[in-house]
């Protein structure tokens, strides 16, 4: 590869999911560009790329587009292997801790508890457009203020359980970082992001969760913020427009070689087939269609033209919580 394309992170500043990726890139010292997006739909920059997927963040490396933070982090670990933050392949215990923490915060309901604890005086929660947008985003979750208020007590309980868990287990022995390392690792990022988001918004009841009740957790969070601040001081902030990204990509190559479609995959899909892909947990109304180029137990990759048909891109999705079907049958597919 003649040159290494610079990653571009499509996000908005207060997205807790996007922070996972921005934190990772910053702690690694990986130079990247930011393409700032509106917090609600539509997002013309991504639509111009040919991406219908509505969740943030999205990362591009060359003409490859990566969706969902779980897959993005895996790809960054692989593409930039020197001094990566994840556990070594030979460290089964470290890998297990990372995966369990990722599942706990991302799929285990902790993030939704943090969402339910968003302070009611934040301007966005009073904006009808934002409320309508998020109402269509979270399947089965109402975003009217009255509905959220009724669930706040249970959300505080679940958040306290999370603080209790870390205080009494992984941090109980006085370690600085969750895997007993000398600096923060991927495990710390996987665990801290919804907690830091809730603390930063002032969402927590100080009578239930505080520096007094959970001193080890709050000290760990303070160390993480300091490490992040130190790393940010060494990074140059580069912000680009969507049109700049699109114009630049036409001169770049794909970041990855085209993969294969696993012939033993239970879905029976074939390489070159026209398929539709969408997330099943949230944002499921926005679906991407393209030619299937890669399918295995980890990811789905489709190839399609940009909106102006200028060039092809490949969109990558994880298998977990995503569905892929022949495009002809996608209209009849139920979640």
């Amino acid at each position: 590869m003649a040159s290494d394309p610079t990653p571009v992170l499509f996000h908005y500043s207060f997205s807790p999911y996007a922070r996972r990726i921005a934190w990772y890139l910053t702690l690694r010292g990986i130079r990247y560009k930011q393409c700032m997006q509106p917090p609600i739909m539509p997002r013309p920059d991504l639509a111009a790329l040919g991406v219908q997927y509505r969740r943030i963040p999205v990362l591009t490396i060359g003409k490859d587009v990566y969706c969902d933070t779980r897959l993005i982090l895996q790809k960054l670990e692989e593409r930039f292997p020197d001094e990566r933050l994840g556990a070594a392949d030979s460290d089964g215990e470290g890998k297990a801790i990372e995966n369990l923490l990722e599942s706990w915060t991302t799929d285990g309901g902790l993030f939704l508890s943090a969402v339910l604890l968003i302070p009611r005086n934040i301007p966005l929660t009073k904006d009808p457009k934002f409320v309508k947008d998020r109402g269509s985003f979270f399947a089965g979750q109402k975003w009217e203020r009255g509905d959220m208020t009724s669930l706040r007590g249970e959300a505080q309980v679940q958040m306290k359980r999370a603080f209790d868990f870390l205080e009494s287990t992984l941090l109980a022995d006085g370690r600085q970082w969750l895997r007993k390392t000398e600096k923060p690792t991927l495990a710390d990022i996987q665990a801290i992001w919804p907690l830091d988001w809730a603390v930063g918004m002032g969402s927590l009841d100080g009578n239930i969760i505080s520096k007094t009740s959970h001193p080890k957790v709050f000290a760990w969070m303070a160390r993480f913020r300091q490490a992040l601040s130190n790393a940010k001081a060494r990074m140059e902030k580069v912000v680009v427009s969507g049109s700049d990204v699109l114009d630049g990509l036409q001169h770049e190559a794909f970041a990855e070689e085209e993969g294969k479609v696993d012939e033993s995959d239970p879905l029976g899909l074939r390489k070159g087939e026209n398929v539709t892909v969408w997330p099943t947990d949230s944002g499921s109304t926005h679906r991407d269609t393209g030619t299937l180029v890669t399918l295995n137990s980890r990811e789905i990759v489709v190839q399609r033209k940009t909106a102006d048909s200028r060039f092809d891109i490949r969109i990558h999705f994880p298998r977990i919580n995503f569905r892929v079907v022949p495009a002809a049958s996608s209209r009849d597919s139920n979640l």
Side-chain angles (χ1 to χ4, degrees):
M1 189 173 295
S3 62
D4 219 17
T6 300
V8 180
L9 182 65
F10 292 77
H11 73 117
Y12 52 88
S13 59
F14 59 87
S15 165
Y17 277 96
R19 288 179 184 181
R20 295 170 75 188
I21 307 305
W23 289 349
Y24 179 92
L25 291 165
T26 300
L27 289 172
R28 287 288 312 274
I30 297 171
R31 182 180 182 274
Y32 70 102
K33 300 175 182 178
Q34 303 181 56
C35 187
M36 307 308 296
Q37 301 300 299
I40 62 175
M41 299 297 288
R43 298 191 177 109
D45 294 338
L46 289 169
L49 275 179
V51 177
Q52 302 304 311
Y53 175 81
R54 64 149 295 167
R55 303 197 309 204
I56 290 293
V58 169
L59 186 83
T60 62
I61 304 179
K63 288 188 172 80
D64 285 275
V65 181
Y66 301 99
C67 303
D68 194 277
T69 54
R70 289 165 290 205
L71 184 64
I72 292 172
L73 287 169
Q74 291 174 20
K75 293 293 185 175
L76 288 173
E77 286 275 285
E78 293 170 358
R79 186 164 186 86
F80 303 95
D82 295 339
E83 298 184 14
R84 65 186 188 183
L85 296 185
D89 293 338
S90 58
D91 182 3
E93 180 178 338
K95 286 285 188 184
I97 290 174
E98 289 170 1
N99 290 337
L100 289 171
L101 289 172
E102 178 183 64
S103 179
W104 176 54
T105 55
T106 307
D107 304 315
L110 188 58
F111 170 65
L112 182 55
S113 292
V115 168
L116 292 169
L117 291 175
I118 293 175
R120 288 164 289 180
N121 59 351
I122 289 180
L124 271 179
T125 64
K126 302 176 183 179
D127 183 344
K129 292 181 180 179
F130 181 79
V131 172
K132 182 179 179 181
D133 179 82
R134 288 309 190 265
S136 66
F137 178 73
F138 288 105
Q141 178 62 53
K142 294 182 179 180
W143 265 77
E144 279 73 17
R145 289 163 61 80
D147 295 308
M148 293 182 68
T149 299
S150 67
L151 297 172
R152 286 177 66 85
E154 181 59 33
Q156 286 281 4
V157 171
Q158 298 307 318
M159 192 60 67
K160 182 179 183 300
R161 291 184 69 244
F163 276 78
D164 288 346
F165 166 71
L166 291 172
E167 187 79 16
S168 63
T169 57
L170 292 176
L171 294 171
D173 59 6
R175 69 185 69 182
Q176 298 290 292
W177 306 107
L178 296 187
R179 287 184 42 237
K180 296 184 178 180
T181 51
E182 295 181 356
K183 61 182 181 179
T185 68
L186 185 56
D188 297 282
I189 293 175
Q190 300 288 28
I192 200 171
W193 66 276
L195 308 184
D196 179 82
W197 190 53
V199 170
M201 287 191 298
S203 302
L204 305 180
D205 185 338
N207 295 318
I208 300 174
I209 303 170
S210 68
K211 293 180 181 179
T212 302
S213 63
H214 299 85
K216 292 183 174 63
V217 178
F218 276 85
W220 164 67
M221 295 174 72
R223 285 192 296 273
F224 185 89
R225 293 191 196 103
Q226 185 60 57
L228 188 63
S229 177
N230 294 341
K232 281 183 177 179
R234 300 188 292 268
M235 292 284 286
E236 177 188 6
K237 184 175 182 180
V238 181
V239 179
V240 294
S241 68
S243 59
D244 286 342
V245 175
L246 190 64
D247 291 342
L249 285 183
Q250 66 181 328
H251 304 295
E252 294 189 3
F254 289 106
E256 297 185 30
E257 296 292 332
E258 183 175 322
K260 298 179 179 180
V261 171
D262 183 359
E263 295 183 356
S264 66
D265 190 274
L267 298 184
L269 298 169
R270 295 290 177 258
K271 192 177 184 73
E273 187 171 355
N274 202 34
V275 298
T276 299
V277 187
W278 70 93
T280 58
D281 51 351
S282 62
S284 58
T285 57
H286 288 68
R287 305 181 176 192
D288 287 273
T289 298
T291 301
L292 184 66
V293 295
T294 304
L295 183 70
N296 52 49
S297 62
R298 188 180 74 164
E299 70 177 318
I300 307 156
V301 185
V302 299
Q303 185 163 326
R304 58 153 296 147
K305 294 285 186 184
T306 55
D308 61 6
S309 298
R310 204 185 315 180
F311 54 86
D312 280 1
I313 60 167
R314 292 183 189 141
I315 314 175
H316 299 243
F317 308 92
R319 288 304 291 267
I320 184 171
N321 293 339
F322 277 76
R323 190 171 184 190
V324 54
V325 301
S329 64
S330 63
R331 291 184 179 179
D332 302 321
S333 297
N334 296 317
L335 297 180

